Amino acid sequence: MSNLSSIQLLKKLVAFDTTSYKSNLELIMFVKNLLESAGISITLNFNPEQTKANLLASIGPKDQAGILLSGHTDVVPVEGQAWSTEPFHAVIKDDKIFGRGTADMKGFIACAIQAMLKAAQMPELAKPLHLCLSYDEEIGCIGVRGILGLLSELIIQPELCVIGEPTSMNIATGHKGKAVFKAICRGQEGHSALAPLYVNAIYCAQNVVEAITTTQKQIAEGPIVDMDYDVPYTTVHVGKIQGGKALNIVPNECVLDYEIRNVAEQDTESVQAKIFEYIEQSPYAKFVSFQEINQYPGLNTSTTIQAVKFLQNLLDPATALQKISFGTEGGLFHQQLNSAVLVCGPGSIQVAHKPDEYIEISQMQQCDAFFERLLSHIKR
Ligand SMILES: [Zn+2]
């Protein structure tokens, strides 16, 4: 077994540059070797290009429902960010560990690996403990989809899945779903001196923006709200627009990227329908086409189920329940396995995706302590 502490292990994990557009295989092979040397069985699941992999590690009785821990191995890019430390070389300063992915979410992964290694030392487990590590979460929960189908073949439906995204070790029972689209506006190229004779793709895109902002206004007026969220309703947002080549050419193409983040009570289709309805009424309707880029479901775990009480007891019975503003793979896990899914992990989302991302050492300790209690629960 490894003699590394969770913090030493976190430093090793940070040193693998697993930015989403790069391979995560070195990290995956490192974890695989570490766990296999402790006698834990591993399944890898590769992407079609064989450049990235999901990992599933399991220990304990195969015929029992257990606990599944889940985390993503990829991190967001550091390019263009002003870091005061080397992002892929974790350093400890003022009781914090700085480095890309420390909070989101290699801190959790390090503690979870330690928990697996400790479980391997225990004489016998009453229930299995599983660890699932995915790739390409940051670009739309892409990678984990490859292993979800396999999971239901390999393991008994877990009693509980813990997604270790940074919640400062609070329990999140829900988050919004998300769907990402492109609106492609096609106009007609022409000399700008004759502009009124042609269809301007940017004007067409402007109509799509109006459709989106009008839809947002309608949704904000209700009645579908979930007051557990900072923004208590479904949001629609345009994040990128690209069109035009030169001032003296009527643009023939303009592309918009937009997203819908929906509360559980409102599906993205009904929001799309509102956007379409607005556009249908304009002369630009026939010049726009839509493409769905990706989507993941929201998470809406009931706060009254046994799994919530169970997790609260392993943390601190007074641990507050919350809903989080960011998405996770939790909705997909729930959809595939129909297990109770909760989000709970060390570190704060406030520092994630930013330069000088860090995790407090006390958060790592809290997470280690949580796993200690989890292990005493699953020992026979
Ligand atoms: Zn994350």
Side-chain angles (χ1 to χ4, degrees):
M1 169 179 163
S2 138
N3 294 314
L4 297 172
S5 70
S6 299
I7 291 171
Q8 287 166 326
L9 189 52
L10 171 58
K11 285 177 143 188
K12 286 199 176 286
L13 297 178
V14 169
F16 295 102
D17 175 358
T18 51
T19 307
S20 307
Y21 66 80
K22 296 183 177 173
S23 169
N24 73 340
L25 286 185
E26 279 185 33
L27 179 146
I28 289 290
M29 291 308 169
F30 167 78
V31 176
K32 177 177 181 277
N33 291 337
L34 192 59
L35 294 174
E36 276 181 345
S37 66
I40 299 169
S41 72
I42 303 289
T43 306
L44 296 186
N45 162 256
F46 288 85
N47 66 346
E49 298 79 24
Q50 308 278 309
T51 52
K52 299 179 183 183
N54 297 304
L55 174 149
L56 175 69
S58 288
I59 184 154
K62 288 189 164 49
D63 56 347
Q64 298 289 321
I67 315 279
L68 183 137
L69 311 172
S70 169
H72 62 82
T73 58
D74 60 322
V75 296
V76 297
V78 296
E79 285 88 348
Q81 295 190 338
W83 280 73
S84 39
T85 60
E86 160 54 40
F88 298 106
H89 178 83
V91 289
I92 299 180
K93 210 172 70 182
D94 303 331
D95 299 324
K96 294 172 180 142
I97 309 159
F98 290 85
R100 170 55 87 227
T102 46
D104 187 12
M105 54 183 291
K106 289 176 173 173
F108 173 83
I109 293 176
C111 297
I113 292 170
Q114 286 293 10
M116 294 294 290
L117 294 172
K118 282 182 188 155
Q121 296 275 298
M122 290 161 55
E124 208 182 344
L125 298 175
K127 317 177 171 180
L129 187 63
H130 312 287
L131 173 64
C132 182
L133 301 181
S134 64
Y135 63 88
D136 283 358
E137 187 271 354
E138 295 287 6
I139 53 173
C141 300
I142 308 291
V144 75
R145 294 167 209 252
I147 200 169
L148 284 175
L150 202 60
L151 272 187
S152 28
E153 287 167 33
L154 293 174
I155 63 174
I156 305 271
Q157 174 192 13
E159 284 174 2
L160 170 64
C161 300
V162 178
I163 314 289
E165 290 279 355
T167 60
S168 302
M169 294 307 290
N170 289 306
I171 300 174
T173 58
H175 61 72
K176 293 178 184 176
K178 180 176 163 185
V180 176
F181 302 92
K182 262 186 200 309
I184 299 138
C185 303
R186 297 235 183 263
Q188 299 156 319
E189 239 158 14
H191 196 297
S192 62
L194 304 173
L197 303 182
Y198 303 106
V199 174
N200 184 323
I202 290 180
Y203 295 178
C204 176
Q206 181 196 7
N207 183 252
V208 178
V209 173
E210 278 168 16
I212 289 169
T213 51
T214 305
T215 301
Q216 178 67 92
K217 267 190 211 123
Q218 288 170 359
I219 293 172
E221 283 162 12
I224 304 176
V225 287
D226 183 337
M227 297 312 284
D228 291 335
Y229 288 109
D230 292 341
V231 179
Y233 47 80
T234 297
T235 59
V236 200
H237 154 84
V238 181
K240 194 174 154 193
I241 184 162
Q242 208 167 12
K245 290 200 177 73
L247 179 60
N248 60 359
I249 305 174
V250 177
N252 71 347
E253 188 183 86
C254 188
V255 179
L256 276 105
D257 292 0
Y258 69 97
E259 62 171 33
I260 301 170
R261 289 180 184 256
N262 61 308
V263 297
E265 295 74 17
Q266 188 162 43
D267 56 44
T268 55
E269 289 79 10
S270 67
V271 178
Q272 270 292 56
K274 282 180 200 282
I275 295 170
F276 289 166
E277 198 184 317
Y278 186 96
I279 294 167
E280 283 303 318
Q281 291 163 9
S282 94
Y284 289 111
K286 60 175 186 279
F287 300 100
V288 196
S289 62
F290 294 87
Q291 229 179 47
E292 183 175 303
I293 303 304
N294 67 54
Q295 61 79 31
Y296 60 75
L299 178 69
N300 193 31
T301 302
S302 163
T303 54
T304 56
I305 59 170
Q306 176 53 32
V308 173
K309 261 266 99 29
F310 168 72
L311 193 59
Q312 270 177 318
N313 284 333
L314 291 180
L315 293 157
D316 169 353
T319 303
L321 304 179
Q322 53 177 228
K323 285 185 180 168
I324 44 179
S325 55
F326 58 97
T328 77
E329 296 168 340
L332 290 166
F333 274 97
H334 177 69
Q335 209 172 51
Q336 181 70 35
L337 298 171
N338 204 25
S339 299
V341 177
L342 294 166
V343 185
C344 177
S348 166
I349 196 69
Q350 305 289 345
V351 299
H353 296 200
K354 289 186 185 173
D356 295 341
E357 176 180 350
Y358 68 83
I359 191 165
E360 285 162 346
I361 288 177
S362 61
Q363 283 285 306
M364 293 292 287
Q365 289 164 339
Q366 270 192 51
C367 190
D368 279 336
F370 158 65
F371 283 131
E372 285 292 341
R373 291 189 287 271
L374 177 65
L375 291 181
S376 37
H377 169 81
I378 62 171
K379 81 166 180 243
R380 192 177 286 281

